[in-house]
Amino acid sequence: MATRHQDESVVQTERPAIAPPPIYKVLLLNDDFTPMEFVIYVLERFFLMGREQATAVMLKVHNEGAGLAGIYPRDVAETKVHQVREFARNHQHPLQCVMEEDK
Ligand code: TYC
């Protein structure tokens, strides 16, 4: 913090420690019903991946149960989760999207 004295001199004392803002992983979860092509499209549209990366992430989710779609500050992660859930629901697919703090 800076303290300004009457003679205009400035004394630099210790800064208060500010924790970096928490960041969140946004994950897609596997299910037996959502078409692979739909998941690839979701990764392209909402997570701005190219076709190849989107296909690789989709296959990881399919084979391992979950996969990383992206890492964001909390408000952005919440928006992504909301958008994906709504988009999947509108297309009557059970695709699940969740977020967790990235420790
Ligand atoms: N398991 C799905 C299928 O075989 C594909 C799928 C992949 C579903 C990723 C969800 O997050 C998911 N059609």
Side-chain angles (χ1 to χ4, degrees):
M1 265 194 279
T3 307
R4 195 171 289 280
H5 291 252
Q6 268 182 344
D7 66 356
E8 294 293 307
S9 66
V10 174
V11 177
Q12 202 71 26
T13 51
E14 246 175 70
R15 289 170 189 279
I18 297 174
I23 54 172
Y24 290 80
K25 292 181 186 175
V26 175
L27 305 166
L28 292 184
L29 307 183
N30 190 34
D31 66 73
D32 291 339
F33 303 104
T34 304
M36 291 182 172
E37 191 55 44
F38 185 83
V39 179
I40 292 170
Y41 181 72
V42 163
L43 290 164
E44 290 175 334
R45 173 164 170 175
F46 297 106
F47 300 96
L48 309 182
M49 291 183 194
R51 193 84 189 166
E52 264 187 34
Q53 190 187 1
T55 302
V57 171
M58 181 281 294
L59 285 173
K60 183 177 171 68
V61 178
H62 177 71
N63 290 317
E64 299 178 20
L68 184 64
I71 300 182
Y72 306 98
R74 182 168 59 198
D75 56 342
V76 180
E78 281 170 351
T79 300
K80 300 281 181 194
V81 168
H82 190 82
Q83 287 174 327
V84 171
R85 288 181 176 170
E86 181 161 274
F87 188 65
R89 183 158 39 83
N90 287 343
H91 289 81
Q92 290 165 4
H93 296 312
L95 178 62
Q96 283 301 304
C97 182
V98 299
M99 60 191 270
E100 64 179 37
E101 196 174 338
D102 188 28
K103 297 273 186 191

mmCIF file of all heavy atoms in Angstrom, residues 28-36 39 57-59 61-62 65 95-96, ligand 1:
data_model
loop_
_atom_site.group_PDB
_atom_site.id
_atom_site.type_symbol
_atom_site.label_atom_id
_atom_site.label_comp_id
_atom_site.label_asym_id
_atom_site.label_seq_id
_atom_site.Cartn_x
_atom_site.Cartn_y
_atom_site.Cartn_z
ATOM 1 N N LEU A 28 -17.341 -32.756 -18.998
ATOM 2 C CA LEU A 28 -18.474 -33.482 -19.569
ATOM 3 C C LEU A 28 -18.453 -34.896 -19.005
ATOM 4 O O LEU A 28 -17.372 -35.472 -18.799
ATOM 5 C CB LEU A 28 -18.376 -33.539 -21.097
ATOM 6 C CG LEU A 28 -18.552 -32.221 -21.857
ATOM 7 C CD1 LEU A 28 -18.517 -32.508 -23.357
ATOM 8 C CD2 LEU A 28 -19.840 -31.519 -21.464
ATOM 9 N N LEU A 29 -19.633 -35.433 -18.759
ATOM 10 C CA LEU A 29 -19.756 -36.796 -18.239
ATOM 11 C C LEU A 29 -20.337 -37.710 -19.308
ATOM 12 O O LEU A 29 -21.178 -37.287 -20.117
ATOM 13 C CB LEU A 29 -20.656 -36.811 -17.001
ATOM 14 C CG LEU A 29 -20.277 -35.838 -15.879
ATOM 15 C CD1 LEU A 29 -21.222 -36.012 -14.697
ATOM 16 C CD2 LEU A 29 -18.822 -36.021 -15.448
ATOM 17 N N ASN A 30 -19.916 -38.955 -19.288
ATOM 18 C CA ASN A 30 -20.420 -39.919 -20.274
ATOM 19 C C ASN A 30 -21.839 -40.357 -19.928
ATOM 20 O O ASN A 30 -22.273 -40.305 -18.771
ATOM 21 C CB ASN A 30 -19.504 -41.137 -20.307
ATOM 22 C CG ASN A 30 -19.829 -42.054 -21.476
ATOM 23 O OD1 ASN A 30 -20.217 -41.583 -22.549
ATOM 24 N ND2 ASN A 30 -19.689 -43.349 -21.280
ATOM 25 N N ASP A 31 -22.561 -40.767 -20.950
ATOM 26 C CA ASP A 31 -23.836 -41.472 -20.789
ATOM 27 C C ASP A 31 -23.985 -42.380 -21.994
ATOM 28 O O ASP A 31 -23.160 -42.352 -22.909
ATOM 29 C CB ASP A 31 -25.002 -40.470 -20.677
ATOM 30 C CG ASP A 31 -25.196 -39.696 -21.971
ATOM 31 O OD1 ASP A 31 -25.684 -40.286 -22.958
ATOM 32 O OD2 ASP A 31 -24.843 -38.500 -22.015
ATOM 33 N N ASP A 32 -25.021 -43.221 -21.968
ATOM 34 C CA ASP A 32 -25.156 -44.221 -23.041
ATOM 35 C C ASP A 32 -25.970 -43.729 -24.228
ATOM 36 O O ASP A 32 -26.111 -44.464 -25.216
ATOM 37 C CB ASP A 32 -25.821 -45.493 -22.493
ATOM 38 C CG ASP A 32 -24.926 -46.234 -21.532
ATOM 39 O OD1 ASP A 32 -23.690 -46.026 -21.580
ATOM 40 O OD2 ASP A 32 -25.447 -47.026 -20.725
ATOM 41 N N PHE A 33 -26.508 -42.530 -24.154
ATOM 42 C CA PHE A 33 -27.526 -42.143 -25.139
ATOM 43 C C PHE A 33 -27.173 -40.942 -26.013
ATOM 44 O O PHE A 33 -27.608 -40.870 -27.160
ATOM 45 C CB PHE A 33 -28.845 -41.859 -24.406
ATOM 46 C CG PHE A 33 -29.303 -43.024 -23.597
ATOM 47 C CD1 PHE A 33 -29.151 -43.023 -22.205
ATOM 48 C CD2 PHE A 33 -29.847 -44.143 -24.207
ATOM 49 C CE1 PHE A 33 -29.559 -44.110 -21.447
ATOM 50 C CE2 PHE A 33 -30.263 -45.234 -23.458
ATOM 51 C CZ PHE A 33 -30.112 -45.222 -22.066
ATOM 52 N N THR A 34 -26.423 -39.984 -25.453
ATOM 53 C CA THR A 34 -26.114 -38.787 -26.258
ATOM 54 C C THR A 34 -25.253 -39.191 -27.458
ATOM 55 O O THR A 34 -24.226 -39.858 -27.295
ATOM 56 C CB THR A 34 -25.364 -37.741 -25.400
ATOM 57 O OG1 THR A 34 -26.147 -37.441 -24.250
ATOM 58 C CG2 THR A 34 -25.114 -36.471 -26.196
ATOM 59 N N PRO A 35 -25.653 -38.798 -28.666
ATOM 60 C CA PRO A 35 -24.846 -39.157 -29.845
ATOM 61 C C PRO A 35 -23.451 -38.529 -29.807
ATOM 62 O O PRO A 35 -23.296 -37.375 -29.372
ATOM 63 C CB PRO A 35 -25.660 -38.588 -31.022
ATOM 64 C CG PRO A 35 -27.038 -38.392 -30.510
ATOM 65 C CD PRO A 35 -26.890 -38.085 -29.040
ATOM 66 N N MET A 36 -22.464 -39.285 -30.262
ATOM 67 C CA MET A 36 -21.090 -38.767 -30.298
ATOM 68 C C MET A 36 -21.004 -37.454 -31.072
ATOM 69 O O MET A 36 -20.302 -36.526 -30.661
ATOM 70 C CB MET A 36 -20.154 -39.810 -30.920
ATOM 71 C CG MET A 36 -19.948 -41.023 -30.039
ATOM 72 S SD MET A 36 -18.799 -42.177 -30.795
ATOM 73 C CE MET A 36 -18.575 -43.341 -29.443
ATOM 74 N N VAL A 39 -21.968 -34.453 -28.995
ATOM 75 C CA VAL A 39 -20.949 -34.059 -28.018
ATOM 76 C C VAL A 39 -19.816 -33.291 -28.716
ATOM 77 O O VAL A 39 -19.340 -32.260 -28.203
ATOM 78 C CB VAL A 39 -20.386 -35.290 -27.274
ATOM 79 C CG1 VAL A 39 -19.306 -34.871 -26.288
ATOM 80 C CG2 VAL A 39 -21.513 -36.032 -26.566
ATOM 81 N N VAL A 57 -11.514 -35.238 -27.160
ATOM 82 C CA VAL A 57 -12.116 -35.060 -25.825
ATOM 83 C C VAL A 57 -13.379 -35.917 -25.706
ATOM 84 O O VAL A 57 -13.607 -36.578 -24.682
ATOM 85 C CB VAL A 57 -12.413 -33.567 -25.544
ATOM 86 C CG1 VAL A 57 -13.226 -33.403 -24.272
ATOM 87 C CG2 VAL A 57 -11.111 -32.781 -25.453
ATOM 88 N N MET A 58 -14.208 -35.928 -26.744
ATOM 89 C CA MET A 58 -15.426 -36.743 -26.720
ATOM 90 C C MET A 58 -15.067 -38.220 -26.488
ATOM 91 O O MET A 58 -15.724 -38.910 -25.677
ATOM 92 C CB MET A 58 -16.192 -36.557 -28.037
ATOM 93 C CG MET A 58 -17.502 -37.331 -28.121
ATOM 94 S SD MET A 58 -17.285 -39.090 -28.520
ATOM 95 C CE MET A 58 -16.631 -38.969 -30.191
ATOM 96 N N LEU A 59 -14.040 -38.702 -27.195
ATOM 97 C CA LEU A 59 -13.651 -40.113 -27.045
ATOM 98 C C LEU A 59 -13.101 -40.394 -25.651
ATOM 99 O O LEU A 59 -13.333 -41.474 -25.091
ATOM 100 C CB LEU A 59 -12.625 -40.499 -28.116
ATOM 101 C CG LEU A 59 -13.213 -40.675 -29.515
ATOM 102 C CD1 LEU A 59 -12.111 -40.891 -30.543
ATOM 103 C CD2 LEU A 59 -14.221 -41.838 -29.554
ATOM 104 N N VAL A 61 -14.071 -38.865 -22.907
ATOM 105 C CA VAL A 61 -15.255 -38.954 -22.049
ATOM 106 C C VAL A 61 -15.937 -40.313 -22.248
ATOM 107 O O VAL A 61 -16.303 -40.993 -21.269
ATOM 108 C CB VAL A 61 -16.251 -37.814 -22.361
ATOM 109 C CG1 VAL A 61 -17.496 -37.942 -21.487
ATOM 110 C CG2 VAL A 61 -15.600 -36.454 -22.148
ATOM 111 N N HIS A 62 -16.093 -40.703 -23.491
ATOM 112 C CA HIS A 62 -16.752 -41.977 -23.818
ATOM 113 C C HIS A 62 -16.010 -43.159 -23.194
ATOM 114 O O HIS A 62 -16.639 -44.085 -22.662
ATOM 115 C CB HIS A 62 -16.806 -42.119 -25.345
ATOM 116 C CG HIS A 62 -17.383 -43.400 -25.826
ATOM 117 N ND1 HIS A 62 -18.730 -43.706 -25.718
ATOM 118 C CD2 HIS A 62 -16.797 -44.472 -26.417
ATOM 119 C CE1 HIS A 62 -18.946 -44.914 -26.218
ATOM 120 N NE2 HIS A 62 -17.791 -45.404 -26.650
ATOM 121 N N GLY A 65 -15.240 -41.955 -18.907
ATOM 122 C CA GLY A 65 -16.347 -41.526 -18.042
ATOM 123 C C GLY A 65 -16.491 -40.031 -17.867
ATOM 124 O O GLY A 65 -17.579 -39.532 -17.583
ATOM 125 N N LEU A 95 -26.976 -35.532 -21.818
ATOM 126 C CA LEU A 95 -25.588 -35.089 -21.600
ATOM 127 C C LEU A 95 -25.464 -34.265 -20.313
ATOM 128 O O LEU A 95 -26.192 -33.293 -20.116
ATOM 129 C CB LEU A 95 -25.137 -34.247 -22.792
ATOM 130 C CG LEU A 95 -23.726 -33.647 -22.713
ATOM 131 C CD1 LEU A 95 -22.672 -34.742 -22.646
ATOM 132 C CD2 LEU A 95 -23.481 -32.726 -23.905
ATOM 133 N N GLN A 96 -24.514 -34.639 -19.463
ATOM 134 C CA GLN A 96 -24.275 -33.922 -18.216
ATOM 135 C C GLN A 96 -22.982 -33.117 -18.295
ATOM 136 O O GLN A 96 -21.960 -33.598 -18.811
ATOM 137 C CB GLN A 96 -24.170 -34.907 -17.047
ATOM 138 C CG GLN A 96 -25.520 -35.418 -16.591
ATOM 139 C CD GLN A 96 -26.431 -34.286 -16.136
ATOM 140 O OE1 GLN A 96 -26.064 -33.511 -15.256
ATOM 141 N NE2 GLN A 96 -27.591 -34.174 -16.766
HETATM 142 N N1 TYC B 1 -21.281 -42.734 -24.830
HETATM 143 C C1 TYC B 1 -21.973 -41.987 -25.879
HETATM 144 C C2 TYC B 1 -22.319 -42.944 -27.008
HETATM 145 O O1 TYC B 1 -21.788 -44.030 -27.072
HETATM 146 C C3 TYC B 1 -21.123 -40.843 -26.411
HETATM 147 C C4 TYC B 1 -20.870 -39.783 -25.389
HETATM 148 C C5 TYC B 1 -19.618 -39.210 -25.311
HETATM 149 C C6 TYC B 1 -21.870 -39.331 -24.549
HETATM 150 C C7 TYC B 1 -19.360 -38.198 -24.399
HETATM 151 C C8 TYC B 1 -21.632 -38.314 -23.620
HETATM 152 O O2 TYC B 1 -20.137 -36.733 -22.670
HETATM 153 C C9 TYC B 1 -20.375 -37.749 -23.559
HETATM 154 N N2 TYC B 1 -23.193 -42.499 -27.909
#
